[in-house]
């Protein structure tokens, strides 16, 4: 096989999106060319997600499409979490697939490509037994202003619902030197925002003798010249220490936003989920954040319908949402996942009931967001300009709190606004975004 054009479609979280940027860079460095459609490609890759059943079904749907429509002469590869979870079974389900590799094997991607090019039909990268992280000088980033950067891979927790420890393997932190070198390099390339990534960034532990914890790393990253905004995701409440809030208080470049997934407001369910914290532990962290002199926006993830969740447990989740007043939430119906502890738990909640609870959560939260966003009317906020909606004559900006703020700009439109920072006065608010007008008039 001499496939030299490739197509890559990505599903799932930011970690996956960033893995894809590294995979693309690696392929380009090996002489491949990226194309926009699977039809135009010789090598077709899917970087997959298996966090919920629906996400997993998507890739099999894509593969089935090709089974029907042909795809002759093409080489197919399944990467990411579904690849790791299903392993060689994928070759049985979709015999035209020749590469199955999980994220813990991407460092071996160049060797796997050589095998594919030599005509191998079943190439796998499925070992989770690794101490390595996937660092590459070839990362091809999608956005020229905002960069993802991995600081820790894998997860050592064992939340009863979660597939990630099985798909991304054990925790491996990058050295602080390597992280800082990449941040400096990004700043030199003109990036002004960096988002530090990991399944659990709070358990970052510098493997070099410096031995920095996450708060120290965060503070140092925030001090890099040219980095105007630093974000991080995702946090686990158990490992989220006060020192992180202190770092935000001290570091002007650290953004006013913390995503702190709570999952449930009921201690009984948190215990069954093996989340390793109580509601009171969680609320203490919320108190640190709310007591900060910075106006830190707090967001979260919620699962409804975990096995055994009663009406009373569910009411506690609603109560917690009211108590914290999150700026936004991601809410999901519990989805049983292979290998996980919750799979075997009794008292699974019927699908219709999960749907009902999800609707209740989302309606309550929507009302809260309408109210909270309206409170922002009249304030002035700095945005990073990320795009333009020509049809609406608006620019798309993002605030330090990670809210979308669409705005008009009095001066004739030029694309050059993208990537710049502007003060914007908020004039309107909806449930999911703000709108306003820039307060600078360029002469
Ligand atoms: N079912 C539903 N939601 C899940 N999440 C993780 N695993 C599951 C599952 N099995 C949610 C959690 C997590 C987010 C990334 O996805 O809320 O924080
Ligand atoms: Fe999906 Fe989790 Fe894998 Fe991200 S780490 S792609 S959310 S299963």
């Amino acid at each position: 096989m001499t496939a030299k054009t490739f197509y890559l479609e990505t599903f799932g979280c930011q970690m996956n999106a960033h893995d894809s940027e590294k995979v693309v860079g690696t392929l380009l460095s090996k002489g491949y060319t990226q194309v926009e459609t699977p039809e135009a490609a010789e090598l077709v890759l899917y970087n997959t997600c298996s966090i919920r059943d629906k996400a997993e079904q998507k890739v099999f749907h894509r593969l089935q499409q090709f089974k029907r429509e042909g795809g002759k002469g093409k080489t197919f590869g399944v990467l990411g979490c579904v690849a790791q979870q299903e392993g060689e079974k994928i070759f049985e389900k979709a015999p035209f697939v020749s590469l199955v590799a999980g994220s813990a094997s991407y460092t071996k991607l160049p060797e796997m490509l050589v095998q594919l090019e030599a005509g191998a039909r079943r190439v796998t990268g499925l070992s989770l037994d690794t101490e390595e992280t996937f660092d590459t000088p070839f990362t091809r980033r999608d956005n020229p202003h905002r960069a993802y950067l991995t600081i820790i891979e894998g997860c050592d927790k064992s939340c009863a619902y979660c597939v990630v420890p099985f798909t991304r393997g054990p925790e491996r932190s990058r050295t602080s030197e390597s992280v800082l070198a990449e941040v400096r390099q990004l700043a030199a390339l003109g990036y002004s925002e960096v988002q530090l990534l990991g399944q659990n960034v709070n358990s970052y532990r510098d493997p070099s003798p410096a031995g920095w914890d996450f708060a120290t790393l965060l503070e140092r990253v925030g001090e890099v010249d040219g980095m105007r905004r630093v974000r991080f995701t995702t946090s686990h409440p158990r490992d989220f220490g006060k020192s992180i809030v202190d770092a935000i208080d001290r570091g002007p470049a650290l953004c006013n936003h913390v995503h702190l997934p709570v999952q449930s407001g009921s201690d009984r369910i948190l215990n069954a989920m093996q989340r390793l914290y109580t509601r009171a532990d969680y609320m203490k962290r919320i108190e640190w954040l709310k007591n900060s002199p910075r106006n830190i926006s707090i967001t979260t993830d919620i699962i409804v319908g975990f096995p055994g969740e009663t009406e009373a447990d569910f009411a506690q989740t609603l109560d917690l949402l009211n108590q914290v007043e999150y700026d936004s939430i991601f809410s999901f119906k519990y989805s049983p996942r292979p290998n996980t502890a919750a799979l075997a738990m009794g008292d699974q909640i019927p699908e219709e009931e999960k749907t009902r609870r999800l609707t209740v959560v989302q309606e309550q939260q929507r009302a809260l967001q309408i109210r909270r966003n309206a409170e922002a009317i009249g304030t002035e906020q700095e945005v990073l300009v990320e795009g333009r909606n020509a049809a609406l004559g608006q620019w798309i900006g993002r605030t330090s709190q990670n809210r979308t703020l669409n705005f008009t700009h009095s001066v004739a439109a030029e694309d050059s606004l993208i990537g710049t920072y502007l003060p914007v006065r908020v004039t309107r608010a909806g449930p999911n975004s703000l709108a306003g007008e820039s307060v600078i008039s360029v002469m």
Side-chain angles (χ1 to χ4, degrees):
M1 188 198 78
T2 53
K4 283 292 174 187
T5 50
F6 76 97
Y7 168 82
L8 171 64
E9 182 173 355
T10 307
F11 304 88
C13 61
Q14 288 137 324
M15 289 288 278
N16 250 21
H18 186 40
D19 280 346
S20 282
E21 293 180 333
K22 298 188 220 179
V23 167
V24 168
T26 305
L27 284 158
L28 295 176
S29 76
K30 296 290 163 198
Y32 285 73
T33 310
Q34 190 171 17
V35 294
E36 299 286 316
T37 63
E39 289 75 20
E42 289 156 288
L43 174 62
V44 177
L45 298 172
Y46 296 109
N47 187 7
T48 61
C49 173
S50 61
I51 196 94
R52 284 168 292 275
D53 187 50
K54 238 200 245 163
E56 184 180 333
Q57 291 315 320
K58 277 191 194 155
V59 66
F60 287 111
H61 180 76
R62 283 285 192 285
L63 290 170
Q64 289 309 321
Q65 253 175 350
F66 273 99
K67 200 170 169 189
R68 283 197 306 273
E69 292 163 16
K72 279 224 165 65
K74 295 188 195 300
T75 303
F76 287 89
V78 179
L79 306 177
C81 292
V82 176
Q84 189 66 51
Q85 181 188 291
E86 297 296 303
E88 306 204 359
K89 278 187 273 175
I90 292 178
F91 295 130
E92 312 303 327
K93 282 195 193 170
F96 49 94
V97 169
S98 351
L99 169 69
V100 174
S103 63
S105 302
Y106 292 164
T107 45
K108 301 199 184 69
L109 212 52
E111 293 130 74
M112 294 191 269
L113 290 172
V114 170
Q115 290 176 44
L116 284 175
E117 285 169 14
R121 295 285 303 123
R122 289 187 168 197
V123 179
T124 55
L126 293 170
S127 171
L128 283 180
D129 181 19
T130 179
E131 312 234 306
E132 288 181 343
T133 51
F134 180 34
D135 307 329
T136 159
F138 301 116
T139 309
R140 181 57 66 104
R141 290 187 163 83
D142 293 334
N143 183 308
H145 309 290
R146 197 156 43 94
Y148 291 134
L149 190 155
T150 311
I151 61 165
I152 178 169
E153 291 181 18
C155 181
D156 282 351
K157 294 282 186 292
S158 40
C159 300
Y161 52 80
C162 190
V163 82
V164 172
F166 306 99
T167 61
R168 288 190 168 271
E171 277 176 2
R172 295 94 70 195
S173 291
R174 267 174 82 180
T175 64
S176 53
E177 299 94 285
S178 135
V179 170
L180 284 174
E182 193 171 355
V183 177
R184 287 191 203 104
Q185 186 198 14
L186 288 169
L189 288 168
Y191 289 89
S192 63
E193 177 172 325
V194 67
Q195 182 159 358
L196 308 180
L197 294 181
Q199 293 305 328
N200 177 4
V201 288
N202 312 131
S203 63
Y204 174 83
R205 179 60 67 176
D206 184 1
S208 68
W212 291 354
D213 63 5
F214 175 64
T216 310
L217 180 77
L218 186 64
E219 205 154 6
R220 294 291 116 78
V221 170
E223 289 162 3
V224 171
D225 269 351
M227 262 320 151
R228 198 152 161 179
R229 284 187 172 180
V230 179
R231 305 183 183 280
F232 57 90
T233 199
T234 257
S235 287
H236 189 295
R238 160 80 169 221
D239 304 319
F240 186 92
K242 172 81 164 52
S243 55
I244 298 171
V245 187
D246 295 340
I248 297 176
D249 289 350
R250 281 197 295 267
L254 306 187
C255 285
N256 288 349
H257 177 218
V258 169
H259 183 66
L260 198 60
V262 66
Q263 314 300 356
S264 168
S266 152
D267 276 338
R268 220 176 56 80
I269 295 298
L270 288 173
N271 185 46
M273 285 177 165
Q274 298 168 36
R275 285 292 285 174
L276 310 174
Y277 55 84
T278 61
R279 177 172 171 150
D281 297 332
Y282 183 86
M283 286 310 297
K284 182 172 218 160
R285 282 143 183 86
I286 296 297
E287 207 179 298
W288 296 337
L289 290 164
K290 292 204 170 183
N291 286 337
S292 159
R294 300 280 294 270
N295 187 7
I296 302 176
S297 171
I298 311 169
T299 58
T300 201
D301 293 342
I302 297 287
I303 296 177
V304 299
F306 186 78
E309 186 187 69
T310 62
E311 269 304 320
D313 293 317
F314 176 59
Q316 301 236 340
T317 296
L318 295 175
D319 177 68
L320 179 125
L321 291 172
N322 274 331
Q323 198 181 341
V324 178
E325 300 199 313
Y326 294 101
D327 284 318
S328 80
I329 65 167
F330 295 101
S331 49
F332 310 102
K333 291 189 270 189
Y334 165 71
S335 169
R337 301 283 65 214
N339 305 312
T340 60
L343 193 61
M345 288 181 184
D347 201 7
Q348 300 277 330
I349 309 297
E351 195 56 30
E352 315 80 71
E353 180 56 17
K354 285 194 245 181
T355 305
R356 188 192 69 80
R357 291 182 192 180
L358 188 68
T359 309
V360 173
V361 161
Q362 292 179 344
E363 280 175 1
Q364 174 179 305
Q365 180 63 23
R366 186 182 152 86
L368 189 126
Q369 283 177 209
I370 290 174
R371 178 164 65 70
R372 278 186 68 77
N373 285 348
E375 287 166 10
I377 294 175
T379 62
E380 197 178 297
Q381 311 215 6
E382 186 184 66
V383 299
L384 166 58
V385 186
E386 295 196 334
R388 174 154 171 75
N389 186 331
L392 292 179
Q394 279 183 336
W395 297 90
I396 304 162
R398 190 176 294 271
T399 70
S400 168
Q401 293 193 327
N402 207 33
R403 290 177 174 182
T404 301
L405 172 44
N406 300 313
F407 64 99
T408 51
H409 186 68
S410 50
V411 179
E414 326 113 40
D415 274 350
S416 58
L417 275 189
I418 293 173
T420 63
Y421 289 81
L422 286 179
V424 173
R425 185 171 308 107
V426 179
T427 55
R428 283 174 295 129
N432 297 311
S433 66
L434 306 172
E437 44 203 44
S438 70
V439 292
I440 281 190
S441 57
V442 183
M443 290 297 155

